[in-house]
């Protein structure tokens, strides 16, 4: 029964997406599912999150010094780490995770100042350093790895196979090509880089050569399109989603920087409530996943409803609760 309900929900969302009248319209994300600390285990404090081509979910859980791979049905498929340390396969505050087209898993091991790479089965492959308190990671379509090297106020680009540094972008400051503790990085299909410049309270878009810049939104504040300590970025086609950490909300923009929508406010429980949201990921055209780190949970918002106001979302809700990340509790 659970499988049938899940399949109906996804197909219903897909049909509604096809019926969208305009790509410029904001889209509604009704609350769908929560992975929480009861199910994640003691100390569950998700910060980084990623999704692979099969829609499996990867959660960087620094409180437990581990990364977990979870199916959309809620089954734990793989655990990497789980022990504090400095050796191969050990972590000290793993804060971000990314997955390449081959299923290899890249973990930002923040307090060890490393990126560690593992096979899809969780076998250690390689690691590289030269970083200082890194916070975010992204992989482009060519397999190049981008790291938000927060302590060095730069974005570092690496060969994903060898770990060799190819280039670095930025320096300390508040100019258009400078950063103050960049925490999130995303790369679109054209190679453009989107950076959550946390302590400059802004999100910036750069071309692949780092020679042109577009500001996403309009700087610091708490009104529409403004940020306070933005943390992470996810891209779904022509939409850019930002976890606006200090404002306890998610904002949605077009890739040209135009504001579309927002949802969420501060709260320690309940739907659409966040406590300093961290990492973001998308299941393309299906869902946005939010690491609600201050509330020790991951929230999933399903996609597929248009709405006129930019202050959504609202509408049909599907709530899934229960042990092991699964079990239908109610459908309303």
């Amino acid at each position: 029964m659970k499988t049938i309900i899940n399949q109906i929900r996804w197909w219903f969302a897909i049909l509604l997406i096809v019926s969208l009248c305009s790509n410029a319209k904001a889209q509604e994300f009704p609350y769908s599912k929560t992975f929480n600390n009861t199910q994640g285990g003691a100390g569950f404090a998700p910060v980084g999150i990623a999704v692979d081509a099969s829609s499996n979910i990867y959660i960087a859980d620094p409180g437990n010094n581990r990364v977990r791979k979870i199916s959309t049905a809620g089954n734990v498929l793989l655990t990497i780490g789980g022990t504090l340390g400095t050796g191969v396969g050990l972590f000290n505050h793993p804060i971000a995770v990314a997955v390449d087209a081959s299923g290899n898993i890249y973990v930002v091991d923040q307090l060890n100042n490393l990126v560690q790479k593992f096979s899809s089965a969780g076998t250690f492959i390689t690691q590289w350093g030269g970083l200082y308190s890194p916070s975010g990671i992204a992989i482009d379509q060519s397999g190049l790895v981008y790291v938000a090297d927060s302590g060095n106020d730069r974005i570092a680009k690496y060969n994903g196979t060898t770990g060799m540094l190819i280039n670095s972008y930025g320096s300390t400051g508040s100019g258009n090509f400078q950063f103050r503790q960049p925490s999130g990085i995303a790369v679109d299909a054209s190679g453009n880089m989107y950076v959550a410049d946390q302590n400059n309270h802004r999100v910036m878009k750069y071309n692949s050569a780092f020679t042109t810049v577009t500001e996403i939104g309009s700087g610091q504040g708490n009104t529409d399109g403004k940020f306070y300590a933005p943390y992470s970025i996810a891209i779904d086609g022509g939409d850019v989603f930002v976890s606006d950490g200090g404002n306890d909300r998610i904002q949605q923009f077009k890739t040209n920087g135009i504001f579309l929508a927002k949802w969420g406010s501060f709260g320690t429980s309940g739907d659409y409530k966040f406590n300093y949201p961290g990492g973001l990921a998308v299941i393309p055209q299906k869902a946005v996943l939010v690491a609600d780190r201050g509330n020790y949970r991951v929230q999933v918002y399903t996609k597929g409803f248009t709405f006129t106001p930019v202050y959504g979302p609202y509408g049909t809700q599907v709530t899934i609760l229960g042990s092991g990340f699964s079990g239908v509790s109610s459908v309303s």
Side-chain angles (χ1 to χ4, degrees):
M1 183 64 180
K2 176 180 68 180
T3 301
I4 294 172
I5 291 174
N6 285 339
Q7 290 175 344
I8 291 172
R9 185 174 72 252
W10 286 122
W11 280 111
F12 182 60
I14 291 169
L15 289 172
L16 285 171
I17 291 166
V18 172
S19 69
L20 295 179
C21 297
S22 170
N23 288 334
K25 290 184 178 180
Q27 296 174 9
E28 181 181 348
F29 289 80
Y31 174 78
S32 175
K33 189 170 186 175
T34 296
F35 302 155
N36 62 32
N37 57 325
T38 300
Q39 299 148 344
F44 184 60
V47 177
I49 191 164
V51 174
D52 67 17
S54 299
S55 299
N56 296 305
I57 301 162
Y58 299 74
I59 299 173
D61 179 8
N64 286 305
N65 288 301
R66 69 185 180 190
V67 170
R68 275 192 156 176
K69 176 182 177 181
I70 301 168
S71 72
T72 52
N75 301 311
V76 178
L77 303 177
L78 177 69
T79 299
I80 302 173
T83 302
L84 173 67
T86 59
V88 168
L90 303 178
F91 301 124
N92 188 353
H93 206 259
I95 197 170
V97 60
V99 185
D100 67 19
S102 299
N104 297 308
I105 304 162
Y106 301 76
V107 181
V108 175
D109 188 8
Q110 186 176 52
L111 297 185
N112 283 328
N113 299 303
L114 295 171
V115 171
Q116 295 197 52
K117 178 181 178 180
F118 301 85
S119 72
S120 59
T123 303
F124 175 81
I125 296 174
T126 189
Q127 66 182 29
W128 60 85
L131 303 162
Y132 180 51
S133 193
S135 293
I137 190 167
I139 303 172
D140 70 14
Q141 293 186 333
S142 300
L144 299 175
V145 178
Y146 300 73
V147 178
D149 189 9
S150 302
N152 286 318
D153 294 317
R154 67 172 184 165
I155 301 300
K157 182 167 71 174
Y158 297 89
N159 180 301
T161 301
T162 65
M164 180 178 296
L165 180 67
I166 296 173
N167 210 338
S168 64
Y169 308 100
S171 59
T172 303
S174 55
N176 281 341
F177 297 90
Q178 294 181 310
F179 306 115
R180 292 192 184 277
Q181 198 174 340
S183 55
I185 176 75
V187 183
D188 67 19
S190 299
N192 298 304
M193 296 177 282
Y194 299 74
V195 181
D197 188 8
Q198 186 171 216
N199 286 354
N200 278 324
H201 308 288
R202 64 187 184 183
V203 173
M204 308 295 273
K205 174 185 176 181
Y206 301 95
N207 67 342
S208 59
F210 200 67
T211 56
T212 65
V213 61
T214 301
E215 187 168 2
I216 304 295
S218 54
Q220 184 176 353
N222 59 13
T223 55
D224 296 349
K226 294 185 179 292
F227 305 105
Y228 190 80
Y231 187 82
S232 185
I233 303 167
I235 300 170
D236 187 5
D239 292 321
V240 179
F241 298 92
V242 180
S243 60
D244 187 9
N247 286 320
D248 298 302
R249 64 185 180 181
I250 307 303
Q251 296 201 66
Q252 179 186 358
F253 300 84
K254 298 305 292 180
T255 54
N256 60 5
I258 295 175
F259 170 80
L260 286 179
K262 66 182 179 183
W263 74 87
S265 59
F266 175 76
T268 56
S269 64
D271 305 348
Y272 310 119
K273 297 296 183 181
F274 301 110
N275 187 354
Y276 206 82
L280 286 180
V282 295
I283 298 175
Q285 297 299 303
K286 288 184 178 180
V288 175
L289 297 87
V290 184
D292 185 13
R293 54 183 174 171
N295 287 325
Y296 313 107
R297 62 184 184 175
V298 171
Q299 296 191 56
V300 182
Y301 291 84
T302 56
K303 182 176 183 177
F305 296 84
T306 59
F307 62 98
T308 301
V310 295
Y311 296 99
Y314 55 87
T316 304
Q317 295 188 21
V318 178
T319 304
I320 301 177
L321 303 171
S323 62
F325 302 141
S326 61
V328 176
S329 174
S330 64
V331 179
S332 60

